[in-house]
């Protein structure tokens, strides 16, 4: 009996010690707070000491302003596989009277997100939203002398606060810092809020630059030395858009904006980019001094029909302005694109240059959105993805496949994040038209993985095949490939077929074993059918296949809903 008591006491002490260690780890994670961390070649969001994959939804701009209005959506979003909600907190509701702060919206968001085990990214709508001034308090809107507006070349005021308004910037910064102080007080330990967006799609509408008196004086003045020094120090690594604008006038190291940069519209856009970025950096710095959370801005990207800055918001964090934003806004961590155009991969690549971390706060849902998210996460090492206004249709049939992707990606989030950090992941994005991209080849390990959109074509003399041929214009497919061992891969795919080639061109790659299955909520694999025969025989024209280096077999993801398959390969 005495020996059992001693053993029980020892076990209890061990459990207490383990619990103490766990509590210490939690305390350390809480003390560190959410932050960005470089892991391998990607930048990841770290929450409570672990990488976090954002499977997001950005609520409609006014949705979060009313707790009653947003209430029905929380469980629907949870059921749709969302793990992070992007929600607006506006200056007008935070500081309805100057110096009097109301954090009801934040407290309600925190309570409801926690009740549904969801994270939050807060969108600070202060001086600008989509380039327009509409979320400022009434006391700001009414005092245009103290809080001056931008103007047209004719001197007409625009409904847009000028970036040159010093008092406006200070007032916005005070409100934002107050909000961040409250957030630190009520959420630093729980870490419900993991990121902050500053303003929304800023930039000047209508003209390449602001023509108010303050802006005219600044434009005719000297380019700030801070920008000249940054350009000089980074001259060999400048983006081509920056290099062209600076080289056009001989890479001058002093002068007015028009003297240093060219052509005229580009000089005006760089001027606006500098002042928007510097303005927002001052606000961001004030908030981070109180509570340092990862911070991003989002860009209204250039549209195909745009011919000059001002057709799109001039001076925003568009891809061509990233160098200027980096020079002026060192406290802003990510320059993010809002992508609704068709060629998602090409556009996203523009926003991943110069080491810019990848995060997409606004884009599409549906099957197109699932392909976008898969590509961003699997090919570009994205922190996460978020369709806009998803709460309004997350339960609709059109989003069944998108929600299925979120659920499956969520179950293997840890696997995805580890593969991102270790360079063991790749992804294909396929579309039947606009742009037509029906095939993509991924390099992963010692294998070239050929991903092809499902078609209904004929091949080589009329023999029916499951690859090649014609493609439905609205067909969209994708595949995420994760290398789990030397010859073992996990795939998450939809509307795509996958074949394999040896990277060195030697021999042929065969399929040793293929299984379908699924992961549960804790990431445990549950094996289903072993696939062979009709399920993996994609081609019967074997002589042609062998001449092309293929075995004729591959993986078939023919359902609209995504599914998992595991494959072990061999070479012969």
């Amino acid at each position: 009996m005495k020996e059992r008591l001693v053993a029980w006491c020892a076990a209890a002490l061990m459990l207490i010690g383990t619990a103490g260690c766990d509590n210490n780890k939690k305390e350390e994670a809480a003390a560190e707070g959410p932050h960005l961390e470089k892991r391998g070649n990607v930048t990841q969001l770290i929450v409570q000491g672990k990488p976090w994959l954002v499977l997001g939804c950005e609520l409609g701009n006014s949705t979060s302003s009313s707790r009653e209005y947003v209430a029905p959506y929380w469980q629907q979003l949870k059921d749709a596989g969302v793990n992070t909600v992007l929600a607006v907190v506006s200056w007008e509701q935070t500081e309805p009277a100057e110096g009097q702060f109301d954090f009801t919206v934040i407290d309600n968001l925190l309570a409801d997100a926690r009740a549904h085990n969801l994270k939050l990214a807060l969108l600070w709508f202060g001086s600008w939203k989509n380039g327009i001034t509409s979320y400022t308090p009434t006391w700001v809107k009414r005092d245009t002398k103290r809080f001056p507006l931008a103007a047209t070349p004719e001197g007409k005021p625009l409904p847009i606060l000028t970036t040159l308004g010093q008092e406006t910037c200070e007032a916005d910064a005070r409100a934002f810092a107050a909000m961040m102080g409250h957030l630190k007080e009520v959420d630093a330990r729980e870490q419900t809020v993991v990121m902050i967006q500053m303003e929304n799609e800023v930039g000047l509408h209508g003209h390449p630059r602001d023509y108010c008196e303050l802006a005219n004086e600044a434009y005719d003045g000297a380019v700030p030395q801070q920008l000249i020094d940054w350009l000089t120090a980074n001259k060999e690594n400048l983006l081509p858009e920056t290099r062209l604008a600076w080289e056009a006038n001989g890479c001058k190291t002093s002068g007015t904006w028009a003297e240093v940069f060219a052509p005229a519209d580009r000089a005006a856009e760089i001027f606006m980019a500098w002042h928007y970025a510097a303005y927002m950096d001052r606000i961001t710095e004030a908030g981070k001094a109180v509570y340092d959370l990862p911070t991003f801005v989002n860009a209204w990207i250039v549209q195909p029909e745009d011919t000059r800055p001002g057709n799109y918001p001039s001076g925003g964090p568009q891809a061509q302005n990233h160098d200027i934003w980096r020079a002026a806004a060192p406290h802003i961590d990510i320059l993010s694109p809002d992508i609704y155009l068709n060629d998602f991969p090409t556009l996203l690549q523009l926003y991943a240059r110069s080491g810019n971390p990848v995060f997409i706060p606004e884009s599409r849902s549906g099957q197109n959105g699932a392909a976008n998210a898969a590509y961003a996460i699997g090919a570009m090492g994205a922190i996460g993805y978020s369709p806009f206004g998803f709460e309004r249709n997350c339960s609709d049939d059109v989003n069944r496949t998108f929600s299925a992707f979120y659920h499956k990606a969520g179950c293997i989030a840890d696997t995805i994040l580890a593969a991102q950090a270790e360079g063991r992941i790749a992804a294909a994005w396929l579309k039947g038209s606009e742009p037509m991209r029906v095939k993509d080849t991924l390099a992963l390990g010692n294998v070239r993985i050929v991903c092809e959109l499902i078609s209904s074509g004929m091949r080589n003399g009329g023999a029916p095949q499951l690859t090649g041929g014609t493609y439905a214009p609205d067909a969209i497919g994708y595949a995420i490939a994760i290398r789990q061992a030397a010859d073992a891969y996990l795939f998450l795919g939809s509307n795509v077929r996958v074949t394999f080639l040896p990277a060195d061109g030697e021999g042929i790659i065969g399929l040793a074993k293929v299984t379908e299955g699924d992961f549960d909520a804790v990431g445990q694999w549950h094996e289903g059918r072993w696939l062979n025969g009709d399920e993996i025989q994609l081609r019967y024209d074997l002589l042609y296949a062998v001449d092309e280096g293929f075995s004729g077999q591959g993986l078939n993801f023919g359902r609209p809903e995504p599914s998992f398959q595991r494959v072990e390969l061999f070479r012969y």
Side-chain angles (χ1 to χ4, degrees):
M1 181 67 180
K2 184 176 180 181
E3 290 178 354
R4 286 200 299 271
L5 181 61
V6 170
W8 181 88
C9 290
L13 288 171
M14 185 177 295
L15 287 172
I16 292 170
T18 302
C21 289
D22 289 342
N23 287 334
N24 288 338
K25 289 179 181 178
K26 290 179 181 178
E27 292 291 344
E28 289 173 5
E32 191 171 28
H35 62 280
L36 299 178
E37 189 173 301
K38 189 78 171 178
R39 297 194 168 194
N41 291 324
V42 301
T43 298
Q44 296 184 328
L45 174 63
I46 309 299
V47 181
Q48 297 284 14
K50 294 178 58 180
W52 179 260
L53 181 66
V54 174
L55 302 173
C57 156
E58 180 172 329
L59 301 177
N61 299 148
S62 301
T63 298
S64 60
S65 65
S66 165
R67 189 179 195 183
E68 291 72 24
Y69 183 86
V70 75
Y73 295 125
W74 291 105
Q75 189 58 48
Q76 293 178 40
L77 291 172
K78 182 73 174 178
D79 292 343
V82 170
N83 67 14
T84 307
V85 173
L86 283 67
V88 170
V89 175
S90 69
W91 185 4
E92 62 180 343
Q93 284 190 290
T94 300
E95 193 180 10
E98 188 169 8
Q100 298 178 19
F101 297 102
D102 183 346
F103 302 114
T104 302
V105 170
I106 291 177
D107 292 339
N108 289 342
L109 286 170
L110 288 171
D112 295 337
R114 290 171 183 169
H116 293 85
N117 195 29
L118 293 167
K119 297 295 184 184
L120 289 169
L122 297 184
L123 282 51
W124 175 249
F125 280 15
S127 296
W128 305 285
K129 187 269 174 188
N130 289 30
I132 308 297
T133 296
S134 54
Y135 283 83
T136 51
T138 301
W139 53 271
V140 173
K141 292 174 182 172
R142 287 179 171 165
D143 192 349
T144 56
K145 184 176 181 180
R146 184 180 169 196
F147 308 113
L149 300 175
T152 67
E154 298 77 24
K156 294 181 179 180
L158 292 164
I160 302 170
L161 287 166
T162 178
T163 58
L164 280 297
Q166 184 64 32
E167 282 203 57
T168 319
C169 183
E170 291 174 357
D172 194 333
R174 282 194 298 270
F176 180 66
M179 187 269 284
M180 294 297 285
H182 179 75
L183 195 58
K184 180 178 182 180
E185 181 181 345
V186 299
D187 193 51
R189 180 177 177 81
E190 288 84 356
Q191 298 186 20
T192 308
V193 176
V194 296
M195 299 177 78
I196 299 289
Q197 177 182 298
M198 299 302 301
E199 315 289 350
N200 189 81
E201 292 185 350
V202 302
L204 188 78
H205 289 274
H207 292 280
R209 75 167 179 90
D210 180 4
Y211 285 89
C212 75
E213 290 184 12
L214 292 169
N216 287 338
E217 182 180 350
Y219 189 72
D220 292 334
V223 174
Q225 192 62 42
Q226 180 184 340
L227 177 54
I228 295 295
D229 290 345
W230 193 94
L231 293 173
T232 302
N234 295 277
K235 188 173 183 179
E236 299 306 315
N237 298 307
L238 294 176
L239 295 174
E241 299 93 332
T242 311
R243 179 179 294 279
L244 286 172
W246 192 26
E247 287 180 345
N249 281 345
C251 294
K252 291 180 180 177
T253 55
S254 65
T256 67
W257 294 89
E259 290 170 344
V260 174
F261 302 106
D265 281 357
R266 184 67 179 126
E269 181 179 27
I270 290 173
F271 168 79
M272 293 308 303
W274 173 265
H275 284 286
Y276 272 110
Y279 184 110
M280 290 172 62
D281 191 65
R282 289 195 292 273
I283 300 170
T284 306
E285 183 180 17
K288 284 195 169 190
V290 179
Y291 186 31
D292 189 357
L293 287 180
T295 303
F296 64 95
V297 294
N298 61 326
W300 174 323
I301 66 176
V302 180
Q303 303 298 302
E305 65 273 16
D306 294 338
T307 59
R308 67 184 300 204
N311 295 152
Y312 55 89
S314 181
Q318 291 90 10
Q320 72 271 17
N321 295 330
H322 279 195
D323 282 337
I324 313 305
W325 275 75
R326 287 296 181 208
H331 296 93
I332 293 172
D333 301 302
I334 308 173
L335 309 173
S336 298
D338 294 344
I339 304 179
Y340 297 98
L341 297 178
N342 289 334
D343 195 355
F344 182 86
T346 298
L347 290 165
L348 189 57
Q349 288 163 18
L350 286 175
Y351 285 80
R353 297 179 298 174
S354 301
N356 185 45
V358 178
F359 178 64
I360 304 91
E362 288 188 36
S363 194
R364 296 171 172 172
S365 53
Q367 175 73 353
N368 198 162
N372 291 350
Y375 181 83
I377 292 165
M380 304 299 293
I383 289 167
Y385 180 89
S386 174
F388 175 74
F390 186 51
E391 81 278 11
R392 296 191 286 257
N393 59 11
C394 63
S395 300
D396 293 355
D397 189 61
V398 70
N399 276 315
R400 182 168 45 99
T401 60
F402 183 85
S403 296
F405 172 79
Y406 260 16
H407 276 292
K408 292 186 182 299
C411 290
I412 61 166
D414 289 346
T415 299
I416 288 172
L417 291 162
Q420 282 184 344
E422 296 164 12
R424 297 183 290 102
I425 189 169
W429 181 96
L430 305 169
K431 202 167 184 287
S433 65
E434 299 183 63
M436 188 174 184
R437 186 182 297 193
V438 298
K439 186 179 289 188
D440 195 9
T441 300
L442 314 177
L444 206 56
N446 59 356
V447 172
R448 291 168 58 213
I449 301 169
V450 181
C451 300
E452 188 168 0
L453 191 66
I454 288 178
S455 72
S456 56
M458 307 292 282
R459 185 180 178 119
N460 292 332
Q465 302 298 331
L466 296 179
T467 62
T470 58
Y471 301 86
D474 60 347
I476 299 171
Y478 60 87
I480 294 177
I482 298 174
R483 189 185 188 201
Q484 296 188 301
D487 293 310
Y489 294 80
L490 170 68
F491 285 83
L492 173 57
S494 170
N495 211 32
V496 65
R497 293 192 171 96
V498 180
T499 51
F500 303 90
L501 292 170
D504 58 10
E506 298 295 326
I508 294 175
I509 299 291
L511 278 57
K513 179 182 178 183
V514 180
T515 57
E516 65 182 8
D518 214 343
F519 291 86
D520 60 26
V522 295
Q524 184 67 39
W525 170 253
H526 295 272
E527 189 172 83
R529 292 185 301 166
W530 288 37
L531 305 181
N532 213 321
D534 292 344
E535 281 72 38
I536 64 170
Q537 194 68 44
L538 303 187
R539 298 176 60 175
Y540 286 89
D541 57 340
L542 294 184
L543 295 181
Y544 289 106
V546 170
D547 284 345
E548 296 168 13
F550 292 98
S551 68
Q553 294 182 330
L555 311 183
N556 182 10
F557 296 89
R559 294 165 289 183
E561 293 81 8
S563 59
F564 288 111
Q565 289 186 33
R566 276 181 160 174
V567 59
E568 295 177 17
L569 306 176
F570 73 102
R571 189 178 302 211
Y572 62 92

